[in-house]
Amino acid sequence: MRTAERTDVGRIRSVNEDRAVILPEKYGTVIAIIADGMGGHQAGDIASQLAIEKIREELSGLPEGATLEERKVAIRLAVEAANAEVYRQASQREQLRGMGTTVVVSLATPDQLVVGHIGDSRAYLAADSRLVQLTEDHSLVNELLKSGQITREEADHHPRRNVLLRALGTDTEVQVDVVEHSWTEGDILLMCSDGLSNMVNEEECLEVLQSEHSLEHKVDELVERALSAGGDDNVTVVLIENRPAEASGKEG
């Protein structure tokens, strides 16, 4: 598979609390993780780094030929392990108390996507000229939107849109949402922190993803659009395209 990633501190923040990693393809599976830390300067970037490292470690032993159910269980257990690690470190060190992070992690095979997440970092699938959001934000604003208390337009500009109802590392236990979705050759998985989704609408994202440019150009274009729109948060974007990596001359 073809992959591309980019993270940027943005135009306002002095520290990048986002982290992202794409693991080398193994047994026909690509693993990608994004974490958006919170808790201020050091604590936020430590939380996201810890989460990435723990999930990476837990998923590195995924066996060849793992079934769909086994992949779903693996993601859930990996995120739960990361939650325990971040919570433990936050409890032991005063300067890290209260830190946490969002996380979105995907296991991509040529015919199936499995995505787990906590918080408001997102995964989208670009397929059949549509952009479908695979994750659901664990945020106050999303709950207000679902209950009909605010409109979509109000949600986009709500003063408390960054308030999370669920995060990794802030409690001893956490509920992980895990979804599955089929995809075919040519489809693109977009994973991002809210530094992209809060600044660039879905129509613009789809426009970029459907362009004839390379995957690297597309990931750069998405980040640049977020920066041009204000860049008031860290911006992180991961793209996975369902095409053979060899065809692009880049190992996925």
Side-chain angles (χ1 to χ4, degrees), residues 120-170:
D120 62 356
S121 293
R122 295 179 179 178
Y124 294 91
L125 178 62
D128 301 321
S129 300
R130 295 170 57 235
L131 190 66
V132 178
Q133 187 175 331
L134 303 181
T135 55
E136 183 177 316
D137 294 352
H138 302 137
S139 65
L140 172 64
V141 163
N142 191 49
E143 289 303 312
L144 294 174
L145 182 63
K146 287 198 299 181
S147 64
Q149 296 181 61
I150 60 174
T151 65
R152 167 58 64 186
E153 185 177 12
E154 289 171 332
D156 290 342
H157 304 285
H158 199 280
R160 302 189 69 194
R161 66 183 181 181
N162 293 324
V163 176
L164 297 182
L165 301 181
R166 207 188 302 176
L168 186 150
T170 56

Side-chain angles (χ1 to χ4, degrees), residues 161-221:
R161 66 183 181 181
N162 293 324
V163 176
L164 297 182
L165 301 181
R166 207 188 302 176
L168 186 150
T170 56
D171 292 292
T172 53
E173 296 183 1
V174 72
Q175 181 182 346
V176 188
D177 285 359
V178 180
V179 298
E180 60 186 88
H181 206 289
S182 59
W183 69 334
T184 59
E185 186 165 331
D187 293 350
I188 298 177
L189 177 70
L190 161 63
M191 298 165 60
C192 65
S193 62
D194 64 345
L196 177 74
S197 55
N198 281 345
M199 306 303 293
V200 184
N201 64 40
E202 293 181 6
E203 291 76 15
E204 282 190 79
C205 289
L206 183 60
E207 175 191 325
V208 172
L209 295 177
Q210 288 186 311
S211 72
E212 296 299 318
H213 296 294
S214 69
L215 209 61
E216 289 78 10
H217 185 282
K218 290 174 182 178
V219 85
D220 285 341
E221 177 68 17

Side-chain angles (χ1 to χ4, degrees), residues 48-81:
S48 57
Q49 187 65 36
L50 283 171
I52 289 273
E53 289 173 356
K54 190 63 177 178
I55 294 170
R56 177 179 189 159
E57 174 190 329
E58 294 289 320
L59 291 178
S60 64
L62 193 72
E64 183 177 6
T67 65
L68 174 62
E69 194 57 39
E70 286 171 340
R71 294 198 299 273
K72 290 166 71 173
V73 170
I75 282 185
R76 184 172 285 110
L77 292 177
V79 175
E80 289 174 352

Side-chain angles (χ1 to χ4, degrees), residues 80-94:
E80 289 174 352
N83 183 76
E85 179 64 17
V86 174
Y87 185 81
R88 183 182 69 82
Q89 297 255 12
S91 302
Q92 291 178 350
R93 299 164 64 184
E94 181 64 36

